[in-house]
Amino acid sequence: MQQIKRAWNNQDLTNKVILVTGVIMAIVCLVMGEGLYSVIFILLMAAFAMAHSNQRSKRLRRLYGGMYFHMPDGEIVLLDFEQVSSGYVKGQQGNYADRLVSLWFPYWRINEDGLLDTGFGLEIDLTGFDDPDGLLPRLKKGDFIYVTGRIQAKRRDYFRIDRVEEIRRQKTRP
């Protein structure tokens, strides 16, 4: 049930409308005695919603998938989320492990596990972040935020940001 709830919450409004429409059409087909069409509607709407969700994620990665790495000499280097992600898949976790990184993206939501969801495939663990300014409860969907934390490997092919040091509203790109 938790996975169904998470899948529903990860959908944007368009996908939710598509899925509800598909379920309604499936019920209508069942009532009319056309069970096969009902199954076809469910499969078609689920496939369409999944494809639309993947396109949304790719668009957000292109727009906001920049990770600003803080170098020891004070320089800040921009790397693409896809570069870091492919480095993890190829076994180069040591290049990124425990590095200080900043991200800029529109606030979307905090998921059921208490993780800040970026919307483009990266989650930010807020455990231990005390939110001194009380900003998190005041954030609305679409507010741009700037988050600074450390990269932590979760699996061989996946990482997240944890030990968050700062979250602030950002009006323009840093």
Side-chain angles (χ1 to χ4, degrees), residues 11-29:
Q11 301 297 322
D12 60 358
L13 181 62
T14 306
N15 284 349
K16 288 179 180 178
V17 169
I18 290 169
L19 288 173
V20 168
T21 303
V23 169
I24 290 171
M25 288 303 296
I27 291 170
V28 168
C29 288

Side-chain angles (χ1 to χ4, degrees), residues 24 44 53 59 63 68 70 74 82 84 88 100 116 134 147-148 159-160 167 173:
I24 290 171
L44 186 64
S53 179
R59 183 177 54 85
L63 290 173
Y68 300 90
H70 299 257
E82 294 296 329
V84 178
Y88 260 75
L100 187 64
L116 181 62
V147 178
T148 302
F159 62 95
R160 71 170 54 146
I167 297 178
R173 188 170 215 129

Side-chain angles (χ1 to χ4, degrees), residues 78-173:
L78 174 65
L79 286 179
D80 191 341
F81 174 75
E82 294 296 329
Q83 290 173 309
V84 178
S85 182
S86 67
Y88 260 75
V89 171
K90 294 176 182 170
Q92 298 172 353
Q93 295 92 341
N95 295 345
Y96 305 106
D98 207 37
R99 297 283 303 274
L100 187 64
V101 64
S102 296
L103 300 107
W104 176 83
F105 59 94
Y107 175 77
W108 187 22
R109 69 186 182 99
I110 295 177
N111 68 17
E112 302 81 30
D113 299 327
L115 303 173
L116 181 62
D117 196 345
T118 61
F120 58 84
L122 180 65
E123 293 175 331
I124 299 172
D125 189 355
L126 297 173
T127 305
F129 181 68
D130 59 356
D131 194 17
D133 301 327
L135 178 66
L136 287 174
R138 293 181 297 162
L139 288 174
K140 292 179 271 192
K141 192 174 184 177
D143 287 349
F144 285 94
I145 58 175
Y146 188 77
V147 178
T148 302
R150 301 212 174 257
I151 291 183
Q152 180 65 38
K154 286 299 172 191
R155 296 189 310 260
R156 183 185 148 301
D157 62 344
Y158 182 72
F159 62 95
R160 71 170 54 146
I161 306 300
D162 71 350
R163 295 191 322 236
V164 174
E165 297 177 5
E166 175 187 29
I167 297 178
R168 69 176 189 246
R169 272 199 183 126
Q170 190 79 21
K171 295 199 186 291
T172 60
R173 188 170 215 129

Side-chain angles (χ1 to χ4, degrees), residues 47-82:
F48 186 73
M50 296 277 264
H52 188 268
S53 179
N54 289 340
Q55 293 300 322
R56 178 183 181 277
S57 176
K58 287 178 187 176
R59 183 177 54 85
L60 287 174
R61 279 186 190 150
R62 284 193 301 270
L63 290 173
Y64 306 109
M67 302 174 72
Y68 300 90
F69 283 82
H70 299 257
M71 298 298 169
D73 62 357
E75 182 182 2
I76 296 179
V77 177
L78 174 65
L79 286 179
D80 191 341
F81 174 75
E82 294 296 329

